[in-house]
């Protein structure tokens, strides 16, 4: 794929990520169990998010994880790609990242989009049976990601995960946005998405 590497404005991003919430809230609670091999297998489609600055207009956002098996200093290579603006026609952006597992904390990673940032990646909700959905949070609750294994998520499931963000994790979801996911067979092939990950019945018909 011809994805354009995106390196966010470092000064803006550091200030953005390290800002504190205006009210004192308890630390976020992460999941107590996560099979990293299963989590890192296959694509994760971003269905909804409280976005970081580069993701404000993202569509067809897909994240993939690859375990480095001890061959690198980091534990996980992260491939994050999205269209900036409209799905398919928007410029394809790429934000590769490195990830580290946190010892004795199965629901917590550290992720670095670029040096010297190493940011918390908190798995707040996870389908531990089938690994079909997850919710990722950030300590100050300024960001969140609802992700699924397919580009379309059942509406009731999505609403329940939003509800959990509010009731279980004290999130303000007023800035939560649905990430447009619109795929064609051509786009699926170009982005390296399999038919299992994006079935024919989920392709755009117009």
């Amino acid at each position: 794929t011809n994805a354009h590497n995106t390196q966010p404005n470092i000064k803006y991003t550091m200030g953005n990520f390290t800002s504190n919430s205006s009210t004192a809230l308890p630390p976020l609670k992460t999941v107590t169990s996560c099979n990293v091999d299963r989590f890192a297998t296959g694509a994760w489609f971003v269905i909804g998010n409280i976005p970081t600055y580069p993701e404000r207009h993202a569509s067809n956002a897909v994240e993939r994880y690859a375990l480095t098996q001890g061959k690198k200093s980091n534990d996980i290579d992260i491939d994050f790609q999205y269209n900036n603006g409209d799905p398919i026609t928007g410029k394809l952006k790429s934000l590769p990242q490195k990830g580290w597992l946190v010892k004795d904390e199965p629901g917590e990673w550290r992720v670095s989009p670029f040096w010297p940032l190493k940011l918390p990646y908190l798995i707040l909700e996870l389908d531990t049976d089938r690994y079909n959905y997850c919710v990722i949070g950030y300590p100050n609750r300024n960001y969140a990601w609802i992700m699924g294994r397919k580009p379309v998520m059942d509406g009731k499931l999505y609403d329940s995960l939003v509800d959990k963000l509010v009731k279980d994790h004290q999130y303000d979801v007023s800035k939560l946005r649905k990430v447009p996911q619109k795929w064609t067979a051509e786009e699926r092939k170009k982005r390296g998405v399999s038919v299992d990950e994006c079935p024919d019945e989920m392709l755009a018909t117009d």
Side-chain angles (χ1 to χ4, degrees):
T1 58
N2 296 318
H4 175 70
N5 276 335
T6 301
Q7 186 166 44
N9 181 290
I10 294 178
K11 183 177 179 181
Y12 179 88
T13 304
M14 289 187 71
N16 211 22
F17 273 111
T18 56
S19 62
N20 294 319
S21 297
S22 58
T23 56
L25 292 170
L28 288 170
K29 292 182 179 180
T30 59
V31 298
T32 57
S33 175
C34 176
N35 183 316
V36 179
D37 289 309
R38 293 184 67 186
F39 191 96
T41 300
W44 285 103
F45 295 84
V46 184
I47 306 300
N49 64 10
I50 302 175
T52 61
Y53 186 79
E55 298 173 272
R56 290 171 303 151
H57 308 294
S59 63
N60 281 13
V62 181
E63 191 142 281
R64 293 182 183 274
Y65 306 91
L67 301 179
T68 62
Q69 309 294 348
K71 297 176 182 177
K72 298 182 179 180
S73 60
N74 58 301
D75 300 311
I76 303 162
D77 284 336
I78 302 171
D79 174 43
F80 178 52
Q81 295 189 14
Y82 60 92
N83 291 101
N84 191 34
D86 292 333
I88 303 174
T89 58
K91 189 170 185 178
L92 186 61
K93 300 278 190 175
S94 176
L95 185 60
Q97 301 164 76
K98 295 179 179 180
W100 290 263
L101 303 175
V102 176
K103 187 177 180 181
D104 299 325
E105 293 290 345
E108 185 171 347
W109 301 0
R110 291 290 182 270
V111 169
S112 176
F114 54 85
W115 187 89
L117 283 185
K118 192 178 279 191
L119 306 168
Y121 176 106
L122 307 178
I123 305 174
L124 305 183
E125 301 290 337
L126 178 62
D127 173 11
T128 53
D129 292 327
R130 296 177 296 170
Y131 283 72
N132 277 347
Y133 65 79
C134 68
V135 179
I136 309 301
Y138 193 76
N140 63 12
R141 295 171 172 81
N142 285 352
Y143 312 101
W145 297 264
I146 297 174
M147 299 194 289
R149 293 299 197 179
K150 301 281 191 293
V152 177
M153 179 179 284
D154 176 79
K156 289 183 179 179
L157 172 59
Y158 180 83
D159 290 344
S160 73
L161 295 176
V162 173
D163 197 49
K164 285 178 180 290
L165 275 174
V166 175
K167 293 181 178 178
D168 296 347
H169 304 290
Q170 299 82 45
Y171 258 83
D172 174 2
V173 294
S174 60
K175 294 183 179 179
L176 184 72
R177 68 184 287 264
K178 276 294 239 351
V179 176
Q181 294 281 353
K182 181 180 179 181
W183 294 83
T184 61
E186 181 182 1
E187 187 69 8
R188 183 175 64 185
K189 182 178 180 181
K190 185 178 83 170
R191 293 279 298 273
V193 173
S194 72
V195 175
D196 284 340
E197 292 166 339
C198 181
D200 288 346
E201 59 267 26
M202 292 185 178
L203 297 179
T205 56
D206 54 357

